[in-house]
Amino acid sequence: MLENEIRLLWLTENYPPQRGGMAQSCDRIIRNLRNSGVIVDIVHFTRRNTSFKITNQVKGTYLNVPFNTDEAHTVNCLWNFIAQEAQYKFCTHIVAFGGYLPLLTAPVFSKWLSLPLVCLFRGNDFDNAIFSSRKLPILERAINQAHTIATVASEMQDKIELLYPEKKVKFIPNSIESTNWQALKSDFEFAEKFRAKHVEDSKLAIGLFGHLKAKKGCDFLLKSIAKSGLSEKIHLIIVGERETHIDTIVAGYNLNTTFLPFLDRYELIQYYLACDVIALPSFYDGMPNVLLEASALGIPVLASSVGGMRDVLVDIPNSFVFHPGDESSCIETLWKLINTSADERKKIGLMQKEVLDSNFTSQHETEAFLSIFKE
């Protein structure tokens, strides 16, 4: 190992071939760090395979760690593997990224390996654990032992600093690689045909994308639309995994809706383009990839003022932002949206893209992480 070389032991539950925003983020961050010269040894807790398997990769390794239900057995077996593999003795830091098992494991391994611990908190890690009697002790041990903590939203940074004023907390937002996220002519053509088939010309198409679990506020938005008196002016395009009661709400209020299943990331572009607005009505959140993906395409976002939405949207003039969980605020913003012309909406979408291109690039993200590890 060269002097001053950075080598990370990176623990995660979210990494390809898994789908979803956190796996995408983990892949992007590790790839960019490796391209910057950092060696990353990935430890991936997964239900995919039945045995420990290590694979050599460019600038690091990948270790598949099978996990079923017995977390203590899994982590003890992992330690046996880590302790006997020579490359892990050259690691300079241990990183906990996303999920319960990394937060459970990394603080202990950091002591046993005498490595500084870096905790990278995403949306669920802090929000869920801070009010969970089972998960709170795990969260607190990780925070107390962490040399550095990084969050994807400034709101989460503020909350952690207020609870743990002695800790070093940095705000490192998610990014998007705009050069790899661009619409083709065929995407625009598909979107036009899709709209012609599914959306009446007079209606505003609002898109809801992703894993629409409770915290995402999908049912809250649907009920707000129904109570606003605007349901006849709106067509919903709902793409992704959703709870069954969402279908019941749509049917109960007779909302104009097109449902689509969970799609691979690059398949989404053509459906984003079919929407006039993308909605992110979360009660609480980190920095959703949907926010960055829509903004990178210049599509305006209707969102609650939490997490990453606050970081990206609140300083944009006339943006469509409402207080989380506040029905009257949401309805007022829906009326504002309906009464905003297509040209004005386009301007707001382009302003979002400018904010992204200035502050939320992969270069910014990678340099911020490098500054942590070089300390």
mmCIF file of all heavy atoms in Angstrom, residues 105-138:
data_model
loop_
_atom_site.group_PDB
_atom_site.id
_atom_site.type_symbol
_atom_site.label_atom_id
_atom_site.label_comp_id
_atom_site.label_asym_id
_atom_site.label_seq_id
_atom_site.Cartn_x
_atom_site.Cartn_y
_atom_site.Cartn_z
ATOM 1 N N THR A 105 -23.001 -3.176 12.495
ATOM 2 C CA THR A 105 -21.708 -3.847 12.371
ATOM 3 C C THR A 105 -20.514 -2.902 12.440
ATOM 4 O O THR A 105 -19.519 -3.175 13.123
ATOM 5 C CB THR A 105 -21.672 -4.614 11.032
ATOM 6 O OG1 THR A 105 -22.800 -5.489 10.958
ATOM 7 C CG2 THR A 105 -20.389 -5.402 10.879
ATOM 8 N N ALA A 106 -20.589 -1.784 11.716
ATOM 9 C CA ALA A 106 -19.407 -0.937 11.518
ATOM 10 C C ALA A 106 -18.804 -0.394 12.817
ATOM 11 O O ALA A 106 -17.574 -0.351 12.946
ATOM 12 C CB ALA A 106 -19.750 0.204 10.560
ATOM 13 N N PRO A 107 -19.598 0.055 13.806
ATOM 14 C CA PRO A 107 -18.975 0.566 15.036
ATOM 15 C C PRO A 107 -18.126 -0.477 15.761
ATOM 16 O O PRO A 107 -17.069 -0.148 16.319
ATOM 17 C CB PRO A 107 -20.177 0.986 15.889
ATOM 18 C CG PRO A 107 -21.266 1.257 14.917
ATOM 19 C CD PRO A 107 -21.067 0.249 13.827
ATOM 20 N N VAL A 108 -18.555 -1.748 15.756
ATOM 21 C CA VAL A 108 -17.793 -2.808 16.412
ATOM 22 C C VAL A 108 -16.521 -3.107 15.616
ATOM 23 O O VAL A 108 -15.410 -3.162 16.163
ATOM 24 C CB VAL A 108 -18.647 -4.077 16.561
ATOM 25 C CG1 VAL A 108 -17.837 -5.202 17.204
ATOM 26 C CG2 VAL A 108 -19.898 -3.782 17.385
ATOM 27 N N PHE A 109 -16.674 -3.266 14.308
ATOM 28 C CA PHE A 109 -15.512 -3.569 13.466
ATOM 29 C C PHE A 109 -14.497 -2.428 13.494
ATOM 30 O O PHE A 109 -13.293 -2.663 13.377
ATOM 31 C CB PHE A 109 -15.952 -3.848 12.036
ATOM 32 C CG PHE A 109 -16.567 -5.218 11.823
ATOM 33 C CD1 PHE A 109 -16.994 -5.997 12.885
ATOM 34 C CD2 PHE A 109 -16.725 -5.727 10.544
ATOM 35 C CE1 PHE A 109 -17.563 -7.249 12.694
ATOM 36 C CE2 PHE A 109 -17.284 -6.976 10.320
ATOM 37 C CZ PHE A 109 -17.701 -7.739 11.404
ATOM 38 N N SER A 110 -14.979 -1.193 13.615
ATOM 39 C CA SER A 110 -14.049 -0.053 13.654
ATOM 40 C C SER A 110 -13.121 -0.146 14.852
ATOM 41 O O SER A 110 -11.940 0.213 14.772
ATOM 42 C CB SER A 110 -14.819 1.275 13.667
ATOM 43 O OG SER A 110 -15.385 1.546 14.931
ATOM 44 N N LYS A 111 -13.632 -0.650 15.974
ATOM 45 C CA LYS A 111 -12.806 -0.841 17.168
ATOM 46 C C LYS A 111 -11.869 -2.034 16.987
ATOM 47 O O LYS A 111 -10.678 -1.973 17.313
ATOM 48 C CB LYS A 111 -13.691 -1.051 18.396
ATOM 49 C CG LYS A 111 -14.508 0.173 18.796
ATOM 50 C CD LYS A 111 -13.618 1.289 19.307
ATOM 51 C CE LYS A 111 -14.446 2.439 19.870
ATOM 52 N NZ LYS A 111 -13.577 3.567 20.303
ATOM 53 N N TRP A 112 -12.396 -3.137 16.505
ATOM 54 C CA TRP A 112 -11.590 -4.348 16.359
ATOM 55 C C TRP A 112 -10.485 -4.182 15.317
ATOM 56 O O TRP A 112 -9.434 -4.802 15.424
ATOM 57 C CB TRP A 112 -12.482 -5.526 15.987
ATOM 58 C CG TRP A 112 -13.386 -5.961 17.118
ATOM 59 C CD1 TRP A 112 -13.356 -5.532 18.412
ATOM 60 C CD2 TRP A 112 -14.451 -6.911 17.040
ATOM 61 N NE1 TRP A 112 -14.337 -6.151 19.159
ATOM 62 C CE2 TRP A 112 -15.029 -7.013 18.341
ATOM 63 C CE3 TRP A 112 -14.990 -7.689 16.026
ATOM 64 C CZ2 TRP A 112 -16.092 -7.847 18.634
ATOM 65 C CZ3 TRP A 112 -16.058 -8.535 16.312
ATOM 66 C CH2 TRP A 112 -16.604 -8.609 17.600
ATOM 67 N N LEU A 113 -10.743 -3.331 14.306
ATOM 68 C CA LEU A 113 -9.751 -3.104 13.256
ATOM 69 C C LEU A 113 -8.952 -1.817 13.466
ATOM 70 O O LEU A 113 -8.068 -1.493 12.674
ATOM 71 C CB LEU A 113 -10.450 -3.035 11.887
ATOM 72 C CG LEU A 113 -11.116 -4.327 11.407
ATOM 73 C CD1 LEU A 113 -12.035 -4.042 10.217
ATOM 74 C CD2 LEU A 113 -10.075 -5.378 11.043
ATOM 75 N N SER A 114 -9.309 -1.053 14.512
ATOM 76 C CA SER A 114 -8.654 0.236 14.807
ATOM 77 C C SER A 114 -8.733 1.182 13.610
ATOM 78 O O SER A 114 -7.746 1.777 13.183
ATOM 79 C CB SER A 114 -7.190 0.020 15.214
ATOM 80 O OG SER A 114 -7.109 -0.752 16.386
ATOM 81 N N LEU A 115 -9.941 1.326 13.074
ATOM 82 C CA LEU A 115 -10.177 2.204 11.926
ATOM 83 C C LEU A 115 -11.159 3.302 12.299
ATOM 84 O O LEU A 115 -12.127 3.049 13.030
ATOM 85 C CB LEU A 115 -10.766 1.408 10.750
ATOM 86 C CG LEU A 115 -9.890 0.320 10.129
ATOM 87 C CD1 LEU A 115 -10.667 -0.420 9.048
ATOM 88 C CD2 LEU A 115 -8.617 0.919 9.553
ATOM 89 N N PRO A 116 -10.972 4.531 11.799
ATOM 90 C CA PRO A 116 -11.975 5.579 12.011
ATOM 91 C C PRO A 116 -13.273 5.226 11.291
ATOM 92 O O PRO A 116 -13.251 4.719 10.164
ATOM 93 C CB PRO A 116 -11.320 6.829 11.421
ATOM 94 C CG PRO A 116 -10.291 6.323 10.468
ATOM 95 C CD PRO A 116 -9.815 5.017 11.017
ATOM 96 N N LEU A 117 -14.392 5.510 11.954
ATOM 97 C CA LEU A 117 -15.711 5.184 11.415
ATOM 98 C C LEU A 117 -16.332 6.420 10.766
ATOM 99 O O LEU A 117 -16.379 7.490 11.366
ATOM 100 C CB LEU A 117 -16.621 4.690 12.540
ATOM 101 C CG LEU A 117 -18.108 4.507 12.216
ATOM 102 C CD1 LEU A 117 -18.315 3.461 11.128
ATOM 103 C CD2 LEU A 117 -18.886 4.134 13.479
ATOM 104 N N VAL A 118 -16.817 6.244 9.543
ATOM 105 C CA VAL A 118 -17.547 7.292 8.827
ATOM 106 C C VAL A 118 -18.957 6.776 8.566
ATOM 107 O O VAL A 118 -19.138 5.716 7.956
ATOM 108 C CB VAL A 118 -16.859 7.655 7.497
ATOM 109 C CG1 VAL A 118 -17.666 8.714 6.740
ATOM 110 C CG2 VAL A 118 -15.441 8.159 7.750
ATOM 111 N N CYS A 119 -19.963 7.494 9.057
ATOM 112 C CA CYS A 119 -21.369 7.111 8.859
ATOM 113 C C CYS A 119 -21.998 8.012 7.816
ATOM 114 O O CYS A 119 -22.009 9.245 7.978
ATOM 115 C CB CYS A 119 -22.142 7.221 10.165
ATOM 116 S SG CYS A 119 -21.699 5.982 11.390
ATOM 117 N N LEU A 120 -22.538 7.423 6.769
ATOM 118 C CA LEU A 120 -23.202 8.172 5.699
ATOM 119 C C LEU A 120 -24.698 7.918 5.812
ATOM 120 O O LEU A 120 -25.187 6.859 5.423
ATOM 121 C CB LEU A 120 -22.670 7.725 4.331
ATOM 122 C CG LEU A 120 -21.143 7.748 4.160
ATOM 123 C CD1 LEU A 120 -20.761 7.341 2.744
ATOM 124 C CD2 LEU A 120 -20.562 9.113 4.509
ATOM 125 N N PHE A 121 -25.410 8.889 6.369
ATOM 126 C CA PHE A 121 -26.838 8.718 6.629
ATOM 127 C C PHE A 121 -27.664 9.122 5.418
ATOM 128 O O PHE A 121 -27.537 10.237 4.905
ATOM 129 C CB PHE A 121 -27.260 9.536 7.851
ATOM 130 C CG PHE A 121 -26.800 8.963 9.155
ATOM 131 C CD1 PHE A 121 -25.959 9.669 9.984
ATOM 132 C CD2 PHE A 121 -27.208 7.704 9.551
ATOM 133 C CE1 PHE A 121 -25.526 9.136 11.182
ATOM 134 C CE2 PHE A 121 -26.788 7.154 10.752
ATOM 135 C CZ PHE A 121 -25.940 7.877 11.564
ATOM 136 N N ARG A 122 -28.529 8.220 4.994
ATOM 137 C CA ARG A 122 -29.484 8.487 3.918
ATOM 138 C C ARG A 122 -30.819 8.832 4.577
ATOM 139 O O ARG A 122 -30.892 9.076 5.785
ATOM 140 C CB ARG A 122 -29.616 7.279 2.990
ATOM 141 C CG ARG A 122 -28.345 6.529 2.710
ATOM 142 C CD ARG A 122 -27.157 7.395 2.340
ATOM 143 N NE ARG A 122 -27.240 7.935 0.990
ATOM 144 C CZ ARG A 122 -26.390 8.824 0.504
ATOM 145 N NH1 ARG A 122 -25.406 9.289 1.263
ATOM 146 N NH2 ARG A 122 -26.522 9.272 -0.724
ATOM 147 N N GLY A 123 -31.903 8.795 3.808
ATOM 148 C CA GLY A 123 -33.195 9.220 4.349
ATOM 149 C C GLY A 123 -33.705 8.388 5.505
ATOM 150 O O GLY A 123 -34.051 8.904 6.556
ATOM 151 N N ASN A 124 -33.727 7.056 5.326
ATOM 152 C CA ASN A 124 -34.359 6.192 6.325
ATOM 153 C C ASN A 124 -33.508 5.964 7.562
ATOM 154 O O ASN A 124 -34.035 5.713 8.642
ATOM 155 C CB ASN A 124 -34.696 4.824 5.713
ATOM 156 C CG ASN A 124 -35.865 4.902 4.758
ATOM 157 O OD1 ASN A 124 -36.657 5.828 4.818
ATOM 158 N ND2 ASN A 124 -35.964 3.948 3.866
ATOM 159 N N ASP A 125 -32.191 6.007 7.429
ATOM 160 C CA ASP A 125 -31.302 5.599 8.522
ATOM 161 C C ASP A 125 -31.582 6.371 9.803
ATOM 162 O O ASP A 125 -31.664 5.798 10.881
ATOM 163 C CB ASP A 125 -29.835 5.809 8.125
ATOM 164 C CG ASP A 125 -29.458 5.048 6.875
ATOM 165 O OD1 ASP A 125 -29.968 3.933 6.711
ATOM 166 O OD2 ASP A 125 -28.676 5.567 6.073
ATOM 167 N N PHE A 126 -31.715 7.679 9.684
ATOM 168 C CA PHE A 126 -31.921 8.518 10.857
ATOM 169 C C PHE A 126 -33.405 8.648 11.187
ATOM 170 O O PHE A 126 -33.818 8.461 12.339
ATOM 171 C CB PHE A 126 -31.314 9.899 10.620
ATOM 172 C CG PHE A 126 -31.473 10.835 11.786
ATOM 173 C CD1 PHE A 126 -30.645 10.749 12.886
ATOM 174 C CD2 PHE A 126 -32.475 11.801 11.790
ATOM 175 C CE1 PHE A 126 -30.797 11.595 13.973
ATOM 176 C CE2 PHE A 126 -32.641 12.649 12.856
ATOM 177 C CZ PHE A 126 -31.798 12.552 13.958
ATOM 178 N N ASP A 127 -34.226 8.963 10.207
ATOM 179 C CA ASP A 127 -35.648 9.240 10.445
ATOM 180 C C ASP A 127 -36.366 8.075 11.106
ATOM 181 O O ASP A 127 -37.196 8.274 12.003
ATOM 182 C CB ASP A 127 -36.353 9.578 9.119
ATOM 183 C CG ASP A 127 -35.830 10.862 8.498
ATOM 184 O OD1 ASP A 127 -35.407 11.743 9.257
ATOM 185 O OD2 ASP A 127 -35.845 10.967 7.264
ATOM 186 N N ASN A 128 -36.080 6.864 10.668
ATOM 187 C CA ASN A 128 -36.755 5.697 11.234
ATOM 188 C C ASN A 128 -36.192 5.306 12.594
ATOM 189 O O ASN A 128 -36.929 4.961 13.517
ATOM 190 C CB ASN A 128 -36.636 4.505 10.270
ATOM 191 C CG ASN A 128 -37.539 4.657 9.062
ATOM 192 O OD1 ASN A 128 -38.368 5.565 9.004
ATOM 193 N ND2 ASN A 128 -37.378 3.785 8.085
ATOM 194 N N ALA A 129 -34.868 5.366 12.722
ATOM 195 C CA ALA A 129 -34.234 4.848 13.934
ATOM 196 C C ALA A 129 -34.392 5.770 15.134
ATOM 197 O O ALA A 129 -34.479 5.290 16.269
ATOM 198 C CB ALA A 129 -32.750 4.591 13.674
ATOM 199 N N ILE A 130 -34.451 7.071 14.914
ATOM 200 C CA ILE A 130 -34.450 8.002 16.043
ATOM 201 C C ILE A 130 -35.705 7.847 16.905
ATOM 202 O O ILE A 130 -35.702 8.170 18.100
ATOM 203 C CB ILE A 130 -34.294 9.470 15.550
ATOM 204 C CG1 ILE A 130 -33.881 10.397 16.703
ATOM 205 C CG2 ILE A 130 -35.543 9.963 14.869
ATOM 206 C CD1 ILE A 130 -32.522 10.134 17.256
ATOM 207 N N PHE A 131 -36.790 7.316 16.348
ATOM 208 C CA PHE A 131 -38.019 7.101 17.108
ATOM 209 C C PHE A 131 -38.387 5.624 17.224
ATOM 210 O O PHE A 131 -39.547 5.284 17.440
ATOM 211 C CB PHE A 131 -39.168 7.888 16.484
ATOM 212 C CG PHE A 131 -38.972 9.373 16.531
ATOM 213 C CD1 PHE A 131 -38.831 10.113 15.360
ATOM 214 C CD2 PHE A 131 -38.909 10.046 17.747
ATOM 215 C CE1 PHE A 131 -38.639 11.485 15.408
ATOM 216 C CE2 PHE A 131 -38.719 11.418 17.791
ATOM 217 C CZ PHE A 131 -38.575 12.142 16.629
ATOM 218 N N SER A 132 -37.392 4.754 17.091
ATOM 219 C CA SER A 132 -37.622 3.314 17.215
ATOM 220 C C SER A 132 -36.879 2.798 18.442
ATOM 221 O O SER A 132 -35.654 2.934 18.539
ATOM 222 C CB SER A 132 -37.119 2.587 15.962
ATOM 223 O OG SER A 132 -37.038 1.195 16.191
ATOM 224 N N SER A 133 -37.621 2.205 19.377
ATOM 225 C CA SER A 133 -36.991 1.702 20.598
ATOM 226 C C SER A 133 -35.986 0.597 20.294
ATOM 227 O O SER A 133 -34.995 0.436 21.017
ATOM 228 C CB SER A 133 -38.058 1.174 21.568
ATOM 229 O OG SER A 133 -38.829 0.149 20.957
ATOM 230 N N ARG A 134 -36.193 -0.148 19.208
ATOM 231 C CA ARG A 134 -35.267 -1.229 18.845
ATOM 232 C C ARG A 134 -34.031 -0.692 18.135
ATOM 233 O O ARG A 134 -32.906 -1.139 18.390
ATOM 234 C CB ARG A 134 -35.970 -2.257 17.941
ATOM 235 C CG ARG A 134 -35.098 -3.453 17.580
ATOM 236 C CD ARG A 134 -35.858 -4.466 16.762
ATOM 237 N NE ARG A 134 -36.073 -4.032 15.395
ATOM 238 C CZ ARG A 134 -35.226 -4.323 14.389
ATOM 239 N NH1 ARG A 134 -34.138 -5.006 14.611
ATOM 240 N NH2 ARG A 134 -35.504 -3.927 13.169
ATOM 241 N N LYS A 135 -34.211 0.282 17.256
ATOM 242 C CA LYS A 135 -33.105 0.746 16.415
ATOM 243 C C LYS A 135 -32.300 1.891 17.039
ATOM 244 O O LYS A 135 -31.149 2.124 16.649
ATOM 245 C CB LYS A 135 -33.638 1.200 15.050
ATOM 246 C CG LYS A 135 -34.227 0.079 14.219
ATOM 247 C CD LYS A 135 -34.736 0.595 12.886
ATOM 248 C CE LYS A 135 -35.327 -0.530 12.034
ATOM 249 N NZ LYS A 135 -35.848 -0.018 10.749
ATOM 250 N N LEU A 136 -32.898 2.620 17.990
ATOM 251 C CA LEU A 136 -32.222 3.790 18.552
ATOM 252 C C LEU A 136 -30.866 3.451 19.174
ATOM 253 O O LEU A 136 -29.890 4.188 18.941
ATOM 254 C CB LEU A 136 -33.128 4.480 19.567
ATOM 255 C CG LEU A 136 -32.530 5.721 20.253
ATOM 256 C CD1 LEU A 136 -32.126 6.775 19.235
ATOM 257 C CD2 LEU A 136 -33.522 6.293 21.272
ATOM 258 N N PRO A 137 -30.733 2.391 19.984
ATOM 259 C CA PRO A 137 -29.405 2.101 20.552
ATOM 260 C C PRO A 137 -28.338 1.867 19.478
ATOM 261 O O PRO A 137 -27.181 2.252 19.656
ATOM 262 C CB PRO A 137 -29.645 0.835 21.385
ATOM 263 C CG PRO A 137 -31.115 0.853 21.692
ATOM 264 C CD PRO A 137 -31.758 1.456 20.487
ATOM 265 N N ILE A 138 -28.733 1.246 18.364
ATOM 266 C CA ILE A 138 -27.797 1.010 17.258
ATOM 267 C C ILE A 138 -27.383 2.340 16.636
ATOM 268 O O ILE A 138 -26.200 2.581 16.368
ATOM 269 C CB ILE A 138 -28.440 0.097 16.194
ATOM 270 C CG1 ILE A 138 -28.947 -1.205 16.821
ATOM 271 C CG2 ILE A 138 -27.471 -0.183 15.065
ATOM 272 C CD1 ILE A 138 -27.899 -2.015 17.531
#
